[in-house]
Amino acid sequence: MGKIAIITARGGSKRIPKKNIREFLGKPILAYSIEAALGSGLFDEVMVSTDSTEIADIAERFGAKVPFYRSDATSNDYATTNDVILEVLDKYERRGENFDIAVCLYPTAPFVTAQKLISAVKELEDSDADTLIPVVPFSYPPQRALIIDQGKLRFLYPENLDARSQDLMPHYHDVGQFYVIRTEAFKVNKKLMVGNILPFIVDEREVQDIDNESDWAIAEMKYKLMQNIQ
């Protein structure tokens, strides 16, 4: 039993064409996830799950393995990360290879470092949790959210109208970078957000959704700050 890094890199990005292999500050963005996984020294296998020969070629060039391609069922717009992980684990089992810990790592996660992966895996292994999920606090309390109702603003939670922000319970959201799972528990739960979940709090400066061109530009700026690149 060992550890596997599963990097999910489908070829059909719509909002940012070829998003998973687009150049990010000098190299394909996918390379950052591969290098973090390999650099951690944690994994018996670092693989990329893809349906694209172009992505597969780049993945292998940067040191990852692509032992098989995704099925049609996990290559469409409705396939979930859960579906991909289950398929990958099943295909390895059919090859006689089993892993007790898996890290699912997204291909557009340049803020993930080898040290972050090492720390996250250790935290899961030292706990009784099934899954570890990196999270970040919302920058503004959701309890003080406003909505537009028939053209007018109103508080969604009027009971918090006079509450001080610092007195409200912090809310967190998934940063969308990676997940650490105990594979046996995941095969039972079949979902990342089910079971005994351990939080891994990430600095907001190292989090950026990349869904459009503005996001991409902000991510590059944040990465430069993180790396102290001039």
Side-chain angles (χ1 to χ4, degrees):
M1 303 292 277
K3 299 180 179 67
I4 183 172
I6 302 168
I7 302 170
T8 60
R10 189 169 70 94
S13 176
K14 301 292 193 300
R15 288 172 291 189
I16 302 177
K18 295 190 176 183
K19 170 183 173 180
N20 292 332
I21 53 174
R22 177 171 167 173
E23 185 173 294
F24 184 93
L25 297 174
K27 59 188 171 186
I29 195 166
L30 170 64
Y32 292 85
S33 296
I34 295 172
E35 290 172 348
L38 291 172
S40 72
L42 289 169
F43 302 105
D44 302 284
E45 186 94 339
V46 175
M47 67 86 67
V48 170
S49 170
T50 188
D51 57 338
S52 162
T53 56
E54 184 177 18
I55 290 175
D57 289 344
I58 291 171
E60 291 175 337
R61 176 152 54 90
F62 282 92
K65 294 181 181 178
V66 186
F68 43 77
Y69 284 86
R70 287 194 192 186
S71 66
D72 291 341
T74 57
S75 299
N76 63 54
D77 292 340
Y78 301 100
T80 67
T81 298
N82 300 312
D83 298 330
V84 174
I85 297 171
L86 286 167
E87 179 179 73
V88 168
L89 294 177
D90 179 65
K91 286 191 174 184
Y92 272 100
E93 283 184 16
R94 291 172 185 271
R95 294 155 56 100
E97 299 177 70
N98 296 278
F99 304 93
D100 53 353
I101 296 288
V103 173
C104 175
L105 182 56
Y106 286 144
T108 53
F111 300 104
V112 176
T113 63
Q115 187 55 54
K116 193 175 291 184
L117 294 175
I118 292 169
S119 298
V121 169
K122 184 176 188 306
E123 285 195 24
L124 181 69
E125 290 185 317
D126 289 346
S127 77
D128 63 351
D130 301 327
T131 305
L132 176 144
I133 296 180
V135 295
V136 66
F138 281 96
S139 58
Y140 188 82
Q143 300 97 317
R144 291 182 56 81
L146 296 165
I147 62 170
I148 299 175
D149 182 12
Q150 297 182 358
K152 300 294 192 301
L153 277 178
R154 69 174 178 85
F155 271 88
L156 182 58
Y157 307 106
E159 65 272 21
N160 294 317
L161 177 63
D162 297 319
R164 301 188 309 167
S165 296
Q166 60 266 40
D167 294 333
L168 297 170
M169 180 182 293
H171 283 45
Y172 297 83
H173 64 86
D174 175 7
V175 303
Q177 294 179 351
F178 67 93
Y179 308 96
V180 187
I181 62 173
R182 296 186 193 274
T183 57
E184 290 307 311
F186 182 74
K187 289 174 202 172
V188 174
N189 297 330
K190 300 188 185 304
K191 293 182 183 295
L192 291 165
M193 298 292 180
V194 172
N196 184 358
I197 304 173
L198 188 69
F200 184 80
I201 300 174
V202 177
D203 191 307
E204 188 175 6
R205 292 171 295 181
E206 299 175 10
V207 174
Q208 179 61 46
D209 283 338
I210 306 178
D211 293 325
N212 54 49
E213 294 295 339
S214 294
D215 292 341
W216 194 280
I218 293 168
E220 289 188 326
M221 287 188 288
K222 281 188 172 183
Y223 186 87
K224 287 178 181 178
L225 288 172
M226 188 179 85
Q227 297 294 318
N228 196 27
I229 297 173
Q230 301 300 320

